[in-house]
Amino acid sequence: MQLYNTLSAEERAALIDEAGKQRLTLSFYAYAKIEDPKKFRDDLFIAWNALDALGRTYVAKEGINAQMSVPAENLEAFRETLERYDFMKDIRLNVAVEQDDHSFLKLTVKVRDKIVADGLDDDTFDVTDIGVHLKAKEFNQILEDPNTIVVDFRNHYESEIGHFKGAITPDVETFRESLPIINEQLKDYKEDKNLVMYCTGGIRCEKASAYFKHQGFKNVFQLEGGIINYAKQIKEENLESKFIGKNFVFDHRLGERITDDIISQCHQCGKPCDNHTNCENEGCHLLFIQCDECKAIMENCCSTECQEIIHMPLVEQVKLRRGVKNGNMIFRKGKSEKLKFKHSGELSDMPLAKAGNDIPEAVKPKDIRQKIKIKKTLLGKAEHYFVKAGIGQFLIEKDELKINDKIIISGPSTGNQELQISQMFVNGTEAAVAKPGDKVTLALPFRIRLSDKLYKVLD
């Protein structure tokens, strides 16, 4: 009985590409009383693995929360695995606005204490006693009511790139932080205001709606299916979007565009931008907003300190990370003194630019970044890593690669590894020069991944 992944992410990505079949990225959740979460978890893994379903799922005694990638041809069979359970009959599957076959490359189903950590220890709190669900048209209408207060129950790095107009956007990093803050802020409006809430897919505001009903709020509403379902409905029904900007998502895309409005800034130069990235330094991995120009100059790093670290030998980088606790002190979500244009908690409904348009020179800030230290040119990309032999294969897409050239192999997990070519095989034969279209294999002292890029260092 297989209850674990047998393929690496790289191998799985290669199989997906070879199959050439459409996959759907989707999410769903359900609150329910699950007596045996571990057995529930095991049964789901076996059923989903057989359907080539991938993704990240949490199960607990209070329910299930899942983000998945499913072959389109297996969607109905996947739905059947859910509807075997009474509490998931006719469950809504939130299909992503933008599709990516590589959104998830592993299947993980984990047992947790709660599917949404809330910090509550109250046996009288009934998570199934929820507020009124609103569809997109109803949600738009209630937002027009001056008696309405709308609250974003996502975190600061999510609301920064997109939110509903006029929403309260708590400056928090976790859902559990937002509950007491909003409860205190709105304590005088329990009787006479419409408390309307939303989140990405509905799971957080569903729990929040139950919590605020438990706290005595009389008129509690929530956006059914969250922003994901809202975006789908306004498109299908040709409705005005009251949401502006991007919807942050928790797969490698980090965002789906809902409107062309760009309401946030590059955290390094201040240029209008809403593309999130993670710092290239594995010991930092800071989530922040970075424009393409800063990405090139700063080599995907959040600071000059991290930029220096990624050029150290891998063994030195590992030494720097050793003994440092991996937590919010390292893997922070966009808050750092190094980021000069981070405006957490100071959000605006006014667009700074439109996606797809060139930014006028007049609104571009002065370049305050350090100059690039290493000049390089992109040669190609990684295609395979032969684990037992320790050999990496690359496709050369432009320019030439020669013996004695210095190269950099770069990727989110690999870091930036600098080498000098002393021997290489081109299309299976030892050679001194590789040209565009050639497949090159190199003996490497480290593992590479399919997302890695191959660069040549320029003099």
Side-chain angles (χ1 to χ4, degrees):
M1 183 170 62
Q2 183 185 331
L3 294 172
Y4 55 90
N5 293 283
T6 58
L7 297 176
S8 68
E10 295 89 348
E11 291 168 326
R12 178 68 70 179
L15 288 177
I16 289 173
D17 290 339
E18 288 172 13
K21 295 181 179 179
Q22 182 189 8
R23 299 183 69 89
L24 299 175
T25 301
L26 54 89
S27 62
F28 64 92
Y29 70 90
Y31 286 100
K33 293 181 180 179
I34 299 175
E35 296 297 330
D36 190 346
K38 185 180 184 306
K39 183 180 185 305
F40 182 55
R41 175 263 174 212
D42 293 350
D43 291 344
L44 289 179
F45 191 100
I46 293 168
W48 292 351
N49 191 55
L51 296 174
D52 193 26
L54 307 171
R56 183 194 311 113
T57 298
Y58 300 127
V59 299
K61 289 188 174 182
E62 70 174 10
I64 180 172
N65 178 21
Q67 294 85 42
M68 305 292 295
S69 170
V70 180
E73 64 184 16
N74 291 344
L75 181 60
E76 289 309 310
F78 179 79
R79 183 184 288 276
E80 289 175 6
T81 68
L82 306 179
E83 294 190 344
R84 294 172 188 169
Y85 303 92
D86 289 340
F87 71 90
M88 288 196 285
K89 292 289 186 184
D90 300 319
I91 190 168
R92 181 187 59 253
L93 302 180
N94 286 329
V95 179
V97 176
E98 301 171 355
Q99 294 299 330
D100 186 325
D101 291 344
H102 292 174
S103 57
F104 292 101
L105 296 174
K106 292 193 301 181
L107 174 60
T108 58
V109 187
K110 296 183 179 181
V111 176
R112 293 285 176 88
D113 290 334
K114 295 184 178 183
I115 56 173
V116 176
D118 52 29
L120 302 176
D121 185 16
D122 183 352
D123 293 336
T124 66
F125 172 44
D126 181 3
V127 72
T128 64
D129 183 19
I130 60 175
V132 177
H133 279 174
L134 299 175
K135 297 187 182 300
K137 185 175 182 179
E138 299 166 324
F139 194 80
N140 279 1
Q141 289 171 346
I142 203 169
L143 292 187
E144 297 295 332
D145 187 340
N147 206 43
T148 291
I149 298 174
V150 59
V151 181
D152 190 326
F153 275 97
R154 301 173 302 153
N155 305 321
H156 69 88
Y157 54 92
E158 299 173 77
S159 59
E160 183 174 11
I161 61 171
H163 53 260
F164 279 97
K165 297 175 183 178
I168 296 173
T169 54
D171 185 18
V172 298
E173 292 201 20
T174 62
F175 172 72
R176 69 172 66 191
E177 293 175 67
S178 63
L179 295 179
I181 290 174
I182 297 302
N183 194 35
E184 174 63 24
Q185 191 171 346
L186 303 181
K187 63 183 179 181
D188 296 330
Y189 303 106
K190 293 184 178 182
E191 299 285 341
D192 58 343
K193 293 290 185 181
N194 298 322
L195 177 56
V196 180
M197 54 195 67
Y198 69 91
C199 61
T200 306
I203 188 170
R204 285 176 282 184
C205 59
E206 183 132 330
K207 177 172 274 193
S209 74
Y211 171 78
F212 284 101
K213 285 187 68 177
H214 184 65
Q215 292 297 314
F217 285 80
K218 301 301 182 185
N219 306 306
V220 180
F221 303 85
Q222 65 186 93
L223 179 59
E224 182 181 43
I227 301 163
I228 296 173
N229 198 41
Y230 178 86
K232 179 183 177 183
Q233 289 181 2
I234 61 171
K235 185 175 181 180
E236 291 174 346
E237 301 174 27
N238 196 28
L239 301 173
E240 176 191 359
S241 177
K242 300 289 188 180
F243 185 95
I244 53 174
K246 259 186 180 179
N247 180 30
F248 186 95
V249 293
F250 292 89
D251 55 54
H252 80 92
R253 297 170 299 156
L254 297 179
E256 292 184 329
R257 183 158 299 287
I258 308 301
T259 72
D260 290 335
D261 303 298
I262 298 176
I263 63 171
S264 53
Q265 297 173 281
C266 171
H267 288 164
Q268 291 178 313
C269 73
K271 172 183 174 179
C273 177
D274 53 12
N275 295 326
H276 274 101
T277 189
N278 284 108
C279 180
E280 192 77 11
N281 174 17
E282 283 294 303
C284 173
H285 208 64
L286 179 72
L287 180 71
F288 67 107
I289 297 174
Q290 186 178 50
C291 69
D292 290 341
E293 288 85 351
C294 287
K295 185 183 289 286
I297 291 174
M298 298 300 294
E299 299 178 277
N300 218 114
C301 293
C302 71
S303 64
T304 55
E305 294 89 343
C306 285
Q307 193 175 21
E308 291 170 359
I309 289 173
I310 66 171
H311 290 293
M312 294 180 179
L314 184 58
V315 65
E316 293 298 322
Q317 295 184 46
V318 172
K319 281 183 181 179
L320 288 175
R321 299 199 295 267
R322 189 171 296 140
V324 181
K325 185 178 179 182
N326 288 342
N328 276 344
M329 293 302 293
I330 300 176
F331 300 103
R332 291 164 297 179
K333 305 296 186 185
K335 290 187 178 181
S336 171
E337 293 179 358
K338 301 172 185 176
L339 302 176
K340 298 181 182 299
F341 291 90
K342 169 65 181 173
H343 298 300
S344 182
E346 302 172 17
L347 307 188
S348 170
D349 289 346
M350 294 297 295
L352 302 175
K354 292 287 185 181
N357 293 349
D358 292 333
I359 307 300
E361 290 295 328
V363 302
K364 287 184 180 179
K366 293 180 179 179
D367 191 344
I368 60 171
R369 302 157 285 170
Q370 76 171 57
K371 298 300 180 183
I372 191 165
K373 291 185 175 182
I374 296 180
K375 293 183 178 180
K376 60 187 180 181
T377 184
L378 180 65
L379 289 179
K381 62 184 179 182
E383 285 198 324
H384 193 70
Y385 181 71
F386 301 91
V387 178
K388 292 184 179 179
I391 290 175
Q393 177 177 300
F394 299 86
L395 173 65
I396 304 299
E397 296 177 323
K398 59 181 180 180
D399 211 339
E400 291 185 345
L401 178 64
K402 301 177 181 178
I403 295 294
N404 295 324
D405 280 346
K406 289 183 179 180
I407 62 169
I408 292 175
I409 299 171
S410 177
S413 298
T414 305
N416 285 269
Q417 304 300 324
E418 189 171 346
L419 302 168
Q420 185 166 16
I421 302 295
S422 58
Q423 182 186 36
M424 66 179 176
F425 287 79
V426 180
N427 301 323
T429 303
E430 187 171 358
V433 180
K435 298 181 179 180
D438 289 339
K439 292 182 183 291
V440 174
T441 51
L442 307 168
L444 299 173
F446 52 86
R447 181 172 187 150
I448 62 170
R449 295 150 179 91
L450 286 178
S451 58
D452 290 355
K453 299 291 188 294
L454 176 66
Y455 297 90
K456 180 168 66 175
V457 177
L458 304 176
D459 295 332

